[in-house]
């Protein structure tokens, strides 16, 4: 249900009807052989990850109930994973032991541009976060993507949420 989404899809697409030959579904173990890591390498450095390492990490995520929701778009015509985004649900003591959503690792294969798939996958996990009662959903992104995320209802919290880090 995209009725609450601040954006319109034209032509209409939804997680249930992402477009001809496309399917939105949770990540599965077989996706190692469907180009999942090659897709992620369009976002950042992935490194050498063997199938064994991938499966071990997949199982570790599955072992944390209600925490990792990796949603992918599959092109069913060639069996490749062509979009992905992860919702991480963080448990809190604050806000009456609430949960907070984090939007991570959003990527759509650059040869599939213009099909609203970035919008689709973000709205899908954003609505999922809302349905899981997250009190907020946050993300970090490059400056050039701020207008895009703004168009999907995300706002910059001026002066109150600077993004800081230490890289190791
Ligand atoms: C972006 C991603 C983040 C990802 C990071 C990788 C979104 C909304 N943000 O910030 O999830 O983990 O890039 O970059 O997808 P890094 O390799 O520099 O950490």
């Amino acid at each position: 249900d995209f009725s609450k989404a601040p954006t319109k899809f034209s032509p209409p697409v939804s997680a249930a009807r992402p477009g001809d030959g496309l399917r939105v579904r949770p990540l599965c173990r077989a996706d190692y052989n469907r180009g999942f890591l090659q897709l992620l390498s369009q976002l950042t450095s992935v490194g050498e990850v063997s199938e064994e390492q991938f499966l071990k990490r997949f199982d570790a995520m599955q072992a944390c109930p209600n925490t990792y929701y990796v949603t992918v778009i599959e092109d069913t015509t060639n069996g490749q994973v062509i979009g992905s985004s992860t919702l991480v649900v963080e448990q809190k003591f604050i806000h009456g032991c609430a949960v907070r959503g984090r939007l991570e690792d959003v990527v759509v294969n650059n040869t599939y541009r213009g099909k609203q798939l970035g919008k689709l996958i973000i709205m899908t996990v954003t609505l999922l976060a809302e349905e899981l009662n997250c009190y907020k959903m946050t993300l970090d992104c490059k400056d050039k993507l701020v207008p895009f995320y703004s168009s999907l209802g995300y706002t910059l919290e001026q002066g109150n949420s600077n993004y800081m880090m230490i890289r190791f």
Side-chain angles (χ1 to χ4, degrees):
D1 175 15
F2 283 79
S3 60
K4 280 193 239 155
T7 181
K8 292 262 187 294
F9 288 87
S10 175
V13 293
S14 67
R17 291 168 180 270
D20 284 349
L22 299 173
R23 196 170 151 224
V24 176
R25 59 164 174 78
L27 180 74
C28 66
R29 300 175 111 243
D31 289 335
Y32 181 85
N33 294 309
R34 294 194 183 111
F36 176 63
L37 296 180
Q38 290 77 5
L39 174 69
L40 285 182
S41 73
Q42 291 188 20
L43 176 70
T44 189
S45 162
V46 175
E48 292 294 312
V49 177
S50 68
E51 184 164 16
E52 191 186 354
Q53 284 175 300
F54 168 81
L55 293 175
K56 205 170 160 200
R57 178 52 45 92
F58 182 90
D59 291 344
M61 289 179 173
Q62 294 280 97
C64 303
N66 312 321
T67 304
Y68 293 96
Y69 297 86
V70 187
T71 300
V72 301
I73 304 174
E74 180 188 347
D75 182 340
T76 56
T77 66
N78 61 13
Q80 292 296 296
V81 174
I82 54 98
S84 183
S85 126
T86 298
L87 163 63
V88 182
V89 178
E90 179 191 352
Q91 305 207 36
K92 295 282 200 185
F93 290 115
I94 59 172
H95 296 290
C97 288
V99 290
R100 167 189 178 162
R102 293 182 184 268
L103 179 60
E104 293 285 347
D105 301 332
V106 176
V107 58
V108 173
N109 184 323
N110 52 30
T111 66
Y112 286 76
R113 291 237 168 100
K115 296 176 188 286
Q116 308 178 87
L117 297 180
K119 200 182 337 185
L120 174 66
I121 197 142
I122 292 159
M123 294 317 297
T124 300
V125 291
T126 302
L127 288 170
L128 179 59
E130 192 179 5
E131 263 167 41
L132 293 170
N133 293 317
C134 291
Y135 78 98
K136 69 179 181 184
M137 175 83 136
T138 58
L139 65 90
D140 58 80
C141 69
K142 297 189 173 96
D143 285 351
K144 66 172 189 190
L145 286 171
V146 168
F148 174 62
Y149 284 106
S150 296
S151 75
L152 302 179
Y154 286 83
T155 56
L156 284 171
E157 202 178 38
Q158 295 289 353
N160 207 18
S161 64
N162 295 302
Y163 175 63
M164 299 178 71
M165 73 168 114
I166 299 179
R167 290 233 182 222
F168 299 108

